[in-house]
Amino acid sequence: MHTYFNINYEFDREQVHRAIAAHISQKQASYICVADGVVMNTANRDVQYREAVNGGMFSVCDSSYVPLYLKWIYSTDYQQYCGCEIFRDIISSRKYRMAFLGTSQEILDALKENLKKINPEVESMMFYELPFCSVDKFDYPSIARMIEADEADIIWVALGAPKQELFMHRLKPHLKSGIMIAVGAAFKFMSGLEVKRAPKWMVDNHLEFVYRIFSEPKKQLKRCGWIIATLPGLLLKEYKRARRNKATVAPSHIS
């Protein structure tokens, strides 16, 4: 795990899945954030939100641009691991019992039908529409009891950022076991309803944000505006951090 832009990232996909398996086998409760540009931006403007993002196991990198920034600053070679990918990987592995929380019942029903084509065991799993309310109004003890009664190993949460990260942070103390993973729009993408993911050629060329802007202009333009306004400062801070770290570990030369 590495900390960049004040977020604890795990870029190694195999390590992500090993950590999930270890927590589940040990009956531990925790969560994983899927950090895109919106999460990174908000975490660096809101200390309480940053504490929520970093209060779980780690974040996987849902941004295709963060690996580019890190390559420029640190000469590293990291890869994006987006919410749709980790969602599909875990479902298709057929290793865990899962629960699906959030969004509307219509999307949940369509999602279930599509996921059954990947993993027929999904038929017997819980799909629960969370009430539409602020993050302060959820009945966390009741939700935790429902999850424990279901014996879900993985709890997928789709409430949109920043709400879903705050939700997991507040639910964690009430859970005895289970790994929550926030997947944002993955429910909508894989339900086949409403928003669809960008074509692969756009994803491969770091243009997914353009597709999202045209799909949801009002929502995405506001998010992009915040990112554009704050990104230069974030890059400068990370560059200075890299220089400080390099100076600290540089070997001393004794004549």
Side-chain angles (χ1 to χ4, degrees), residues 121-156:
E121 295 168 13
V122 165
E123 173 67 44
S124 65
M125 297 180 190
M126 180 173 65
F127 287 73
Y128 182 74
E129 180 184 8
L130 290 167
F132 183 75
C133 63
S134 70
V135 75
D136 297 319
K137 300 297 183 180
F138 286 108
D139 185 349
Y140 293 102
S142 177
I143 294 171
R145 287 193 296 270
M146 177 182 64
I147 292 170
E148 288 166 10
D150 187 76
E151 298 183 338
D153 301 309
I154 303 285
I155 304 101
W156 299 104

PDB file of all heavy atoms in Angstrom, residues 121-156:
ATOM      1  N   GLU A 121     -25.264 -18.103  -8.719  1.00  0.00           N
ATOM      2  CA  GLU A 121     -25.503 -18.097  -7.278  1.00  0.00           C
ATOM      3  C   GLU A 121     -26.046 -16.762  -6.784  1.00  0.00           C
ATOM      4  O   GLU A 121     -26.565 -16.664  -5.669  1.00  0.00           O
ATOM      5  CB  GLU A 121     -24.207 -18.458  -6.543  1.00  0.00           C
ATOM      6  CG  GLU A 121     -23.733 -19.886  -6.833  1.00  0.00           C
ATOM      7  CD  GLU A 121     -22.320 -20.136  -6.336  1.00  0.00           C
ATOM      8  OE1 GLU A 121     -21.808 -19.305  -5.553  1.00  0.00           O
ATOM      9  OE2 GLU A 121     -21.733 -21.146  -6.742  1.00  0.00           O
ATOM     10  N   VAL A 122     -25.933 -15.738  -7.614  1.00  0.00           N
ATOM     11  CA  VAL A 122     -26.461 -14.412  -7.275  1.00  0.00           C
ATOM     12  C   VAL A 122     -27.966 -14.472  -7.015  1.00  0.00           C
ATOM     13  O   VAL A 122     -28.513 -13.648  -6.266  1.00  0.00           O
ATOM     14  CB  VAL A 122     -26.127 -13.411  -8.400  1.00  0.00           C
ATOM     15  CG1 VAL A 122     -26.947 -12.134  -8.280  1.00  0.00           C
ATOM     16  CG2 VAL A 122     -24.638 -13.078  -8.382  1.00  0.00           C
ATOM     17  N   GLU A 123     -28.642 -15.436  -7.604  1.00  0.00           N
ATOM     18  CA  GLU A 123     -30.089 -15.581  -7.448  1.00  0.00           C
ATOM     19  C   GLU A 123     -30.517 -15.574  -5.992  1.00  0.00           C
ATOM     20  O   GLU A 123     -31.558 -14.999  -5.625  1.00  0.00           O
ATOM     21  CB  GLU A 123     -30.550 -16.878  -8.124  1.00  0.00           C
ATOM     22  CG  GLU A 123     -32.014 -17.237  -7.905  1.00  0.00           C
ATOM     23  CD  GLU A 123     -32.958 -16.251  -8.575  1.00  0.00           C
ATOM     24  OE1 GLU A 123     -32.697 -15.876  -9.730  1.00  0.00           O
ATOM     25  OE2 GLU A 123     -33.943 -15.841  -7.922  1.00  0.00           O
ATOM     26  N   SER A 124     -29.723 -16.184  -5.117  1.00  0.00           N
ATOM     27  CA  SER A 124     -30.103 -16.314  -3.704  1.00  0.00           C
ATOM     28  C   SER A 124     -29.521 -15.206  -2.823  1.00  0.00           C
ATOM     29  O   SER A 124     -29.642 -15.263  -1.598  1.00  0.00           O
ATOM     30  CB  SER A 124     -29.645 -17.673  -3.161  1.00  0.00           C
ATOM     31  OG  SER A 124     -28.221 -17.753  -3.161  1.00  0.00           O
ATOM     32  N   MET A 125     -28.896 -14.208  -3.431  1.00  0.00           N
ATOM     33  CA  MET A 125     -28.240 -13.158  -2.655  1.00  0.00           C
ATOM     34  C   MET A 125     -29.156 -11.954  -2.451  1.00  0.00           C
ATOM     35  O   MET A 125     -30.155 -11.792  -3.138  1.00  0.00           O
ATOM     36  CB  MET A 125     -26.929 -12.747  -3.329  1.00  0.00           C
ATOM     37  CG  MET A 125     -25.915 -13.891  -3.382  1.00  0.00           C
ATOM     38  SD  MET A 125     -24.353 -13.421  -4.172  1.00  0.00           S
ATOM     39  CE  MET A 125     -23.565 -15.035  -4.319  1.00  0.00           C
ATOM     40  N   MET A 126     -28.788 -11.105  -1.495  1.00  0.00           N
ATOM     41  CA  MET A 126     -29.627  -9.983  -1.092  1.00  0.00           C
ATOM     42  C   MET A 126     -29.375  -8.742  -1.952  1.00  0.00           C
ATOM     43  O   MET A 126     -28.237  -8.301  -2.106  1.00  0.00           O
ATOM     44  CB  MET A 126     -29.360  -9.634   0.374  1.00  0.00           C
ATOM     45  CG  MET A 126     -30.200  -8.464   0.889  1.00  0.00           C
ATOM     46  SD  MET A 126     -30.018  -8.177   2.666  1.00  0.00           S
ATOM     47  CE  MET A 126     -28.292  -7.699   2.778  1.00  0.00           C
ATOM     48  N   PHE A 127     -30.467  -8.170  -2.479  1.00  0.00           N
ATOM     49  CA  PHE A 127     -30.444  -6.903  -3.197  1.00  0.00           C
ATOM     50  C   PHE A 127     -31.381  -5.965  -2.439  1.00  0.00           C
ATOM     51  O   PHE A 127     -32.590  -6.177  -2.418  1.00  0.00           O
ATOM     52  CB  PHE A 127     -30.907  -7.090  -4.638  1.00  0.00           C
ATOM     53  CG  PHE A 127     -29.908  -7.796  -5.509  1.00  0.00           C
ATOM     54  CD1 PHE A 127     -29.689  -9.161  -5.371  1.00  0.00           C
ATOM     55  CD2 PHE A 127     -29.176  -7.106  -6.460  1.00  0.00           C
ATOM     56  CE1 PHE A 127     -28.765  -9.824  -6.176  1.00  0.00           C
ATOM     57  CE2 PHE A 127     -28.248  -7.749  -7.265  1.00  0.00           C
ATOM     58  CZ  PHE A 127     -28.044  -9.118  -7.114  1.00  0.00           C
ATOM     59  N   TYR A 128     -30.807  -4.938  -1.815  1.00  0.00           N
ATOM     60  CA  TYR A 128     -31.586  -4.117  -0.885  1.00  0.00           C
ATOM     61  C   TYR A 128     -31.502  -2.643  -1.271  1.00  0.00           C
ATOM     62  O   TYR A 128     -30.417  -2.063  -1.351  1.00  0.00           O
ATOM     63  CB  TYR A 128     -31.071  -4.315   0.538  1.00  0.00           C
ATOM     64  CG  TYR A 128     -31.833  -3.539   1.585  1.00  0.00           C
ATOM     65  CD1 TYR A 128     -33.109  -3.938   1.980  1.00  0.00           C
ATOM     66  CD2 TYR A 128     -31.269  -2.409   2.183  1.00  0.00           C
ATOM     67  CE1 TYR A 128     -33.809  -3.222   2.947  1.00  0.00           C
ATOM     68  CE2 TYR A 128     -31.963  -1.689   3.148  1.00  0.00           C
ATOM     69  CZ  TYR A 128     -33.236  -2.107   3.522  1.00  0.00           C
ATOM     70  OH  TYR A 128     -33.929  -1.404   4.468  1.00  0.00           O
ATOM     71  N   GLU A 129     -32.648  -2.047  -1.514  1.00  0.00           N
ATOM     72  CA  GLU A 129     -32.712  -0.622  -1.823  1.00  0.00           C
ATOM     73  C   GLU A 129     -32.650   0.184  -0.534  1.00  0.00           C
ATOM     74  O   GLU A 129     -33.564   0.131   0.290  1.00  0.00           O
ATOM     75  CB  GLU A 129     -34.010  -0.298  -2.574  1.00  0.00           C
ATOM     76  CG  GLU A 129     -34.147   1.175  -2.919  1.00  0.00           C
ATOM     77  CD  GLU A 129     -35.486   1.501  -3.578  1.00  0.00           C
ATOM     78  OE1 GLU A 129     -36.363   0.606  -3.626  1.00  0.00           O
ATOM     79  OE2 GLU A 129     -35.658   2.649  -4.015  1.00  0.00           O
ATOM     80  N   LEU A 130     -31.569   0.917  -0.350  1.00  0.00           N
ATOM     81  CA  LEU A 130     -31.440   1.757   0.831  1.00  0.00           C
ATOM     82  C   LEU A 130     -32.372   2.961   0.728  1.00  0.00           C
ATOM     83  O   LEU A 130     -32.625   3.467  -0.371  1.00  0.00           O
ATOM     84  CB  LEU A 130     -29.994   2.238   0.972  1.00  0.00           C
ATOM     85  CG  LEU A 130     -28.970   1.171   1.363  1.00  0.00           C
ATOM     86  CD1 LEU A 130     -27.551   1.697   1.158  1.00  0.00           C
ATOM     87  CD2 LEU A 130     -29.170   0.720   2.801  1.00  0.00           C
ATOM     88  N   PRO A 131     -32.890   3.433   1.849  1.00  0.00           N
ATOM     89  CA  PRO A 131     -33.783   4.596   1.806  1.00  0.00           C
ATOM     90  C   PRO A 131     -33.050   5.834   1.322  1.00  0.00           C
ATOM     91  O   PRO A 131     -31.846   5.984   1.531  1.00  0.00           O
ATOM     92  CB  PRO A 131     -34.231   4.743   3.266  1.00  0.00           C
ATOM     93  CG  PRO A 131     -33.180   4.065   4.070  1.00  0.00           C
ATOM     94  CD  PRO A 131     -32.681   2.931   3.227  1.00  0.00           C
ATOM     95  N   PHE A 132     -33.780   6.725   0.666  1.00  0.00           N
ATOM     96  CA  PHE A 132     -33.190   7.972   0.196  1.00  0.00           C
ATOM     97  C   PHE A 132     -33.156   8.961   1.356  1.00  0.00           C
ATOM     98  O   PHE A 132     -34.193   9.490   1.777  1.00  0.00           O
ATOM     99  CB  PHE A 132     -34.004   8.550  -0.968  1.00  0.00           C
ATOM    100  CG  PHE A 132     -33.411   9.806  -1.536  1.00  0.00           C
ATOM    101  CD1 PHE A 132     -32.286   9.758  -2.338  1.00  0.00           C
ATOM    102  CD2 PHE A 132     -33.967  11.044  -1.243  1.00  0.00           C
ATOM    103  CE1 PHE A 132     -31.724  10.922  -2.858  1.00  0.00           C
ATOM    104  CE2 PHE A 132     -33.415  12.218  -1.754  1.00  0.00           C
ATOM    105  CZ  PHE A 132     -32.287  12.149  -2.564  1.00  0.00           C
ATOM    106  N   CYS A 133     -31.983   9.168   1.907  1.00  0.00           N
ATOM    107  CA  CYS A 133     -31.834  10.070   3.062  1.00  0.00           C
ATOM    108  C   CYS A 133     -30.387  10.518   3.155  1.00  0.00           C
ATOM    109  O   CYS A 133     -29.512  10.014   2.436  1.00  0.00           O
ATOM    110  CB  CYS A 133     -32.270   9.365   4.350  1.00  0.00           C
ATOM    111  SG  CYS A 133     -31.281   7.924   4.792  1.00  0.00           S
ATOM    112  N   SER A 134     -30.130  11.451   4.049  1.00  0.00           N
ATOM    113  CA  SER A 134     -28.760  11.904   4.260  1.00  0.00           C
ATOM    114  C   SER A 134     -27.979  10.825   4.999  1.00  0.00           C
ATOM    115  O   SER A 134     -28.556   9.905   5.593  1.00  0.00           O
ATOM    116  CB  SER A 134     -28.757  13.198   5.088  1.00  0.00           C
ATOM    117  OG  SER A 134     -29.148  12.925   6.423  1.00  0.00           O
ATOM    118  N   VAL A 135     -26.670  10.940   4.963  1.00  0.00           N
ATOM    119  CA  VAL A 135     -25.817   9.914   5.571  1.00  0.00           C
ATOM    120  C   VAL A 135     -26.028   9.834   7.076  1.00  0.00           C
ATOM    121  O   VAL A 135     -25.763   8.800   7.702  1.00  0.00           O
ATOM    122  CB  VAL A 135     -24.339  10.190   5.210  1.00  0.00           C
ATOM    123  CG1 VAL A 135     -23.783  11.363   6.010  1.00  0.00           C
ATOM    124  CG2 VAL A 135     -23.481   8.955   5.404  1.00  0.00           C
ATOM    125  N   ASP A 136     -26.539  10.892   7.688  1.00  0.00           N
ATOM    126  CA  ASP A 136     -26.787  10.905   9.132  1.00  0.00           C
ATOM    127  C   ASP A 136     -28.057  10.155   9.524  1.00  0.00           C
ATOM    128  O   ASP A 136     -28.222   9.809  10.700  1.00  0.00           O
ATOM    129  CB  ASP A 136     -26.912  12.346   9.642  1.00  0.00           C
ATOM    130  CG  ASP A 136     -25.642  13.142   9.450  1.00  0.00           C
ATOM    131  OD1 ASP A 136     -24.561  12.580   9.677  1.00  0.00           O
ATOM    132  OD2 ASP A 136     -25.736  14.328   9.072  1.00  0.00           O
ATOM    133  N   LYS A 137     -28.924   9.903   8.556  1.00  0.00           N
ATOM    134  CA  LYS A 137     -30.247   9.371   8.875  1.00  0.00           C
ATOM    135  C   LYS A 137     -30.370   7.855   8.732  1.00  0.00           C
ATOM    136  O   LYS A 137     -31.409   7.287   9.092  1.00  0.00           O
ATOM    137  CB  LYS A 137     -31.298  10.039   7.987  1.00  0.00           C
ATOM    138  CG  LYS A 137     -31.381  11.557   8.139  1.00  0.00           C
ATOM    139  CD  LYS A 137     -31.793  11.965   9.536  1.00  0.00           C
ATOM    140  CE  LYS A 137     -31.952  13.477   9.653  1.00  0.00           C
ATOM    141  NZ  LYS A 137     -32.351  13.895  11.019  1.00  0.00           N
ATOM    142  N   PHE A 138     -29.374   7.189   8.219  1.00  0.00           N
ATOM    143  CA  PHE A 138     -29.460   5.740   8.068  1.00  0.00           C
ATOM    144  C   PHE A 138     -29.491   5.050   9.434  1.00  0.00           C
ATOM    145  O   PHE A 138     -28.830   5.498  10.385  1.00  0.00           O
ATOM    146  CB  PHE A 138     -28.267   5.196   7.276  1.00  0.00           C
ATOM    147  CG  PHE A 138     -28.319   5.493   5.806  1.00  0.00           C
ATOM    148  CD1 PHE A 138     -27.458   6.422   5.243  1.00  0.00           C
ATOM    149  CD2 PHE A 138     -29.227   4.844   4.974  1.00  0.00           C
ATOM    150  CE1 PHE A 138     -27.486   6.702   3.886  1.00  0.00           C
ATOM    151  CE2 PHE A 138     -29.274   5.116   3.624  1.00  0.00           C
ATOM    152  CZ  PHE A 138     -28.403   6.050   3.073  1.00  0.00           C
ATOM    153  N   ASP A 139     -30.235   3.972   9.523  1.00  0.00           N
ATOM    154  CA  ASP A 139     -30.283   3.161  10.744  1.00  0.00           C
ATOM    155  C   ASP A 139     -29.173   2.117  10.646  1.00  0.00           C
ATOM    156  O   ASP A 139     -29.390   0.972  10.231  1.00  0.00           O
ATOM    157  CB  ASP A 139     -31.659   2.491  10.870  1.00  0.00           C
ATOM    158  CG  ASP A 139     -31.824   1.734  12.181  1.00  0.00           C
ATOM    159  OD1 ASP A 139     -30.817   1.543  12.899  1.00  0.00           O
ATOM    160  OD2 ASP A 139     -32.958   1.288  12.469  1.00  0.00           O
ATOM    161  N   TYR A 140     -27.967   2.507  11.017  1.00  0.00           N
ATOM    162  CA  TYR A 140     -26.801   1.644  10.830  1.00  0.00           C
ATOM    163  C   TYR A 140     -26.871   0.339  11.628  1.00  0.00           C
ATOM    164  O   TYR A 140     -26.538  -0.726  11.086  1.00  0.00           O
ATOM    165  CB  TYR A 140     -25.520   2.413  11.147  1.00  0.00           C
ATOM    166  CG  TYR A 140     -25.247   3.529  10.165  1.00  0.00           C
ATOM    167  CD1 TYR A 140     -25.517   4.854  10.488  1.00  0.00           C
ATOM    168  CD2 TYR A 140     -24.747   3.250   8.899  1.00  0.00           C
ATOM    169  CE1 TYR A 140     -25.286   5.876   9.576  1.00  0.00           C
ATOM    170  CE2 TYR A 140     -24.510   4.262   7.976  1.00  0.00           C
ATOM    171  CZ  TYR A 140     -24.783   5.578   8.317  1.00  0.00           C
ATOM    172  OH  TYR A 140     -24.564   6.586   7.417  1.00  0.00           O
ATOM    173  N   PRO A 141     -27.300   0.348  12.888  1.00  0.00           N
ATOM    174  CA  PRO A 141     -27.408  -0.932  13.611  1.00  0.00           C
ATOM    175  C   PRO A 141     -28.355  -1.913  12.916  1.00  0.00           C
ATOM    176  O   PRO A 141     -28.064  -3.113  12.824  1.00  0.00           O
ATOM    177  CB  PRO A 141     -27.930  -0.515  14.989  1.00  0.00           C
ATOM    178  CG  PRO A 141     -27.466   0.898  15.149  1.00  0.00           C
ATOM    179  CD  PRO A 141     -27.572   1.498  13.779  1.00  0.00           C
ATOM    180  N   SER A 142     -29.476  -1.406  12.419  1.00  0.00           N
ATOM    181  CA  SER A 142     -30.449  -2.262  11.746  1.00  0.00           C
ATOM    182  C   SER A 142     -29.883  -2.826  10.445  1.00  0.00           C
ATOM    183  O   SER A 142     -30.060  -4.020  10.132  1.00  0.00           O
ATOM    184  CB  SER A 142     -31.726  -1.482  11.469  1.00  0.00           C
ATOM    185  OG  SER A 142     -32.655  -2.277  10.767  1.00  0.00           O
ATOM    186  N   ILE A 143     -29.181  -1.997   9.679  1.00  0.00           N
ATOM    187  CA  ILE A 143     -28.576  -2.453   8.424  1.00  0.00           C
ATOM    188  C   ILE A 143     -27.516  -3.509   8.720  1.00  0.00           C
ATOM    189  O   ILE A 143     -27.422  -4.529   8.013  1.00  0.00           O
ATOM    190  CB  ILE A 143     -27.978  -1.262   7.664  1.00  0.00           C
ATOM    191  CG1 ILE A 143     -29.089  -0.309   7.216  1.00  0.00           C
ATOM    192  CG2 ILE A 143     -27.171  -1.740   6.453  1.00  0.00           C
ATOM    193  CD1 ILE A 143     -28.581   1.004   6.645  1.00  0.00           C
ATOM    194  N   ALA A 144     -26.722  -3.297   9.766  1.00  0.00           N
ATOM    195  CA  ALA A 144     -25.692  -4.276  10.131  1.00  0.00           C
ATOM    196  C   ALA A 144     -26.311  -5.610  10.527  1.00  0.00           C
ATOM    197  O   ALA A 144     -25.816  -6.676  10.136  1.00  0.00           O
ATOM    198  CB  ALA A 144     -24.838  -3.727  11.276  1.00  0.00           C
ATOM    199  N   ARG A 145     -27.390  -5.572  11.284  1.00  0.00           N
ATOM    200  CA  ARG A 145     -28.049  -6.826  11.680  1.00  0.00           C
ATOM    201  C   ARG A 145     -28.578  -7.574  10.457  1.00  0.00           C
ATOM    202  O   ARG A 145     -28.507  -8.810  10.390  1.00  0.00           O
ATOM    203  CB  ARG A 145     -29.188  -6.527  12.661  1.00  0.00           C
ATOM    204  CG  ARG A 145     -28.721  -6.120  14.057  1.00  0.00           C
ATOM    205  CD  ARG A 145     -29.873  -6.146  15.060  1.00  0.00           C
ATOM    206  NE  ARG A 145     -30.911  -5.179  14.735  1.00  0.00           N
ATOM    207  CZ  ARG A 145     -30.921  -3.926  15.184  1.00  0.00           C
ATOM    208  NH1 ARG A 145     -29.940  -3.483  15.966  1.00  0.00           N
ATOM    209  NH2 ARG A 145     -31.903  -3.095  14.860  1.00  0.00           N
ATOM    210  N   MET A 146     -29.107  -6.833   9.498  1.00  0.00           N
ATOM    211  CA  MET A 146     -29.616  -7.449   8.279  1.00  0.00           C
ATOM    212  C   MET A 146     -28.486  -8.127   7.503  1.00  0.00           C
ATOM    213  O   MET A 146     -28.640  -9.258   7.010  1.00  0.00           O
ATOM    214  CB  MET A 146     -30.276  -6.376   7.409  1.00  0.00           C
ATOM    215  CG  MET A 146     -30.796  -6.871   6.078  1.00  0.00           C
ATOM    216  SD  MET A 146     -31.517  -5.524   5.095  1.00  0.00           S
ATOM    217  CE  MET A 146     -30.045  -4.493   4.820  1.00  0.00           C
ATOM    218  N   ILE A 147     -27.348  -7.483   7.405  1.00  0.00           N
ATOM    219  CA  ILE A 147     -26.206  -8.049   6.693  1.00  0.00           C
ATOM    220  C   ILE A 147     -25.686  -9.293   7.409  1.00  0.00           C
ATOM    221  O   ILE A 147     -25.379 -10.313   6.779  1.00  0.00           O
ATOM    222  CB  ILE A 147     -25.093  -6.994   6.561  1.00  0.00           C
ATOM    223  CG1 ILE A 147     -25.542  -5.875   5.610  1.00  0.00           C
ATOM    224  CG2 ILE A 147     -23.792  -7.625   6.063  1.00  0.00           C
ATOM    225  CD1 ILE A 147     -24.622  -4.674   5.591  1.00  0.00           C
ATOM    226  N   GLU A 148     -25.594  -9.217   8.725  1.00  0.00           N
ATOM    227  CA  GLU A 148     -25.102 -10.362   9.493  1.00  0.00           C
ATOM    228  C   GLU A 148     -26.053 -11.547   9.395  1.00  0.00           C
ATOM    229  O   GLU A 148     -25.623 -12.704   9.324  1.00  0.00           O
ATOM    230  CB  GLU A 148     -24.881  -9.952  10.945  1.00  0.00           C
ATOM    231  CG  GLU A 148     -23.664  -9.044  11.118  1.00  0.00           C
ATOM    232  CD  GLU A 148     -23.619  -8.356  12.473  1.00  0.00           C
ATOM    233  OE1 GLU A 148     -24.425  -8.718  13.351  1.00  0.00           O
ATOM    234  OE2 GLU A 148     -22.780  -7.455  12.643  1.00  0.00           O
ATOM    235  N   ALA A 149     -27.351 -11.284   9.367  1.00  0.00           N
ATOM    236  CA  ALA A 149     -28.324 -12.364   9.224  1.00  0.00           C
ATOM    237  C   ALA A 149     -28.176 -13.034   7.858  1.00  0.00           C
ATOM    238  O   ALA A 149     -28.395 -14.244   7.719  1.00  0.00           O
ATOM    239  CB  ALA A 149     -29.736 -11.829   9.397  1.00  0.00           C
ATOM    240  N   ASP A 150     -27.808 -12.258   6.866  1.00  0.00           N
ATOM    241  CA  ASP A 150     -27.615 -12.790   5.517  1.00  0.00           C
ATOM    242  C   ASP A 150     -26.286 -13.520   5.371  1.00  0.00           C
ATOM    243  O   ASP A 150     -26.105 -14.293   4.439  1.00  0.00           O
ATOM    244  CB  ASP A 150     -27.684 -11.646   4.503  1.00  0.00           C
ATOM    245  CG  ASP A 150     -27.656 -12.129   3.074  1.00  0.00           C
ATOM    246  OD1 ASP A 150     -28.694 -12.637   2.609  1.00  0.00           O
ATOM    247  OD2 ASP A 150     -26.592 -12.033   2.429  1.00  0.00           O
ATOM    248  N   GLU A 151     -25.340 -13.248   6.278  1.00  0.00           N
ATOM    249  CA  GLU A 151     -24.004 -13.856   6.270  1.00  0.00           C
ATOM    250  C   GLU A 151     -23.228 -13.507   4.997  1.00  0.00           C
ATOM    251  O   GLU A 151     -22.481 -14.322   4.447  1.00  0.00           O
ATOM    252  CB  GLU A 151     -24.083 -15.381   6.452  1.00  0.00           C
ATOM    253  CG  GLU A 151     -24.707 -15.793   7.782  1.00  0.00           C
ATOM    254  CD  GLU A 151     -24.728 -17.291   7.992  1.00  0.00           C
ATOM    255  OE1 GLU A 151     -24.670 -18.050   6.998  1.00  0.00           O
ATOM    256  OE2 GLU A 151     -24.775 -17.721   9.152  1.00  0.00           O
ATOM    257  N   ALA A 152     -23.376 -12.277   4.536  1.00  0.00           N
ATOM    258  CA  ALA A 152     -22.662 -11.837   3.337  1.00  0.00           C
ATOM    259  C   ALA A 152     -21.185 -11.601   3.659  1.00  0.00           C
ATOM    260  O   ALA A 152     -20.841 -11.029   4.689  1.00  0.00           O
ATOM    261  CB  ALA A 152     -23.283 -10.557   2.796  1.00  0.00           C
ATOM    262  N   ASP A 153     -20.318 -12.065   2.758  1.00  0.00           N
ATOM    263  CA  ASP A 153     -18.877 -11.817   2.878  1.00  0.00           C
ATOM    264  C   ASP A 153     -18.499 -10.467   2.284  1.00  0.00           C
ATOM    265  O   ASP A 153     -17.676  -9.740   2.833  1.00  0.00           O
ATOM    266  CB  ASP A 153     -18.085 -12.909   2.148  1.00  0.00           C
ATOM    267  CG  ASP A 153     -18.354 -14.296   2.676  1.00  0.00           C
ATOM    268  OD1 ASP A 153     -18.267 -14.485   3.896  1.00  0.00           O
ATOM    269  OD2 ASP A 153     -18.658 -15.196   1.859  1.00  0.00           O
ATOM    270  N   ILE A 154     -19.084 -10.160   1.132  1.00  0.00           N
ATOM    271  CA  ILE A 154     -18.826  -8.905   0.421  1.00  0.00           C
ATOM    272  C   ILE A 154     -20.117  -8.105   0.379  1.00  0.00           C
ATOM    273  O   ILE A 154     -21.169  -8.639   0.008  1.00  0.00           O
ATOM    274  CB  ILE A 154     -18.356  -9.157  -1.025  1.00  0.00           C
ATOM    275  CG1 ILE A 154     -17.103 -10.032  -1.059  1.00  0.00           C
ATOM    276  CG2 ILE A 154     -18.128  -7.827  -1.754  1.00  0.00           C
ATOM    277  CD1 ILE A 154     -15.833  -9.349  -0.667  1.00  0.00           C
ATOM    278  N   ILE A 155     -20.045  -6.840   0.753  1.00  0.00           N
ATOM    279  CA  ILE A 155     -21.214  -5.962   0.697  1.00  0.00           C
ATOM    280  C   ILE A 155     -20.905  -4.848  -0.295  1.00  0.00           C
ATOM    281  O   ILE A 155     -20.059  -3.985  -0.036  1.00  0.00           O
ATOM    282  CB  ILE A 155     -21.545  -5.358   2.084  1.00  0.00           C
ATOM    283  CG1 ILE A 155     -21.753  -6.460   3.115  1.00  0.00           C
ATOM    284  CG2 ILE A 155     -22.770  -4.464   2.002  1.00  0.00           C
ATOM    285  CD1 ILE A 155     -20.569  -6.704   4.027  1.00  0.00           C
ATOM    286  N   TRP A 156     -21.561  -4.885  -1.432  1.00  0.00           N
ATOM    287  CA  TRP A 156     -21.383  -3.847  -2.440  1.00  0.00           C
ATOM    288  C   TRP A 156     -22.278  -2.653  -2.103  1.00  0.00           C
ATOM    289  O   TRP A 156     -23.457  -2.826  -1.823  1.00  0.00           O
ATOM    290  CB  TRP A 156     -21.742  -4.380  -3.822  1.00  0.00           C
ATOM    291  CG  TRP A 156     -20.899  -5.528  -4.282  1.00  0.00           C
ATOM    292  CD1 TRP A 156     -21.262  -6.845  -4.323  1.00  0.00           C
ATOM    293  CD2 TRP A 156     -19.548  -5.473  -4.752  1.00  0.00           C
ATOM    294  NE1 TRP A 156     -20.229  -7.609  -4.804  1.00  0.00           N
ATOM    295  CE2 TRP A 156     -19.155  -6.796  -5.068  1.00  0.00           C
ATOM    296  CE3 TRP A 156     -18.637  -4.434  -4.948  1.00  0.00           C
ATOM    297  CZ2 TRP A 156     -17.899  -7.106  -5.574  1.00  0.00           C
ATOM    298  CZ3 TRP A 156     -17.368  -4.740  -5.445  1.00  0.00           C
ATOM    299  CH2 TRP A 156     -17.017  -6.063  -5.750  1.00  0.00           C
TER     300      TRP A 156
END
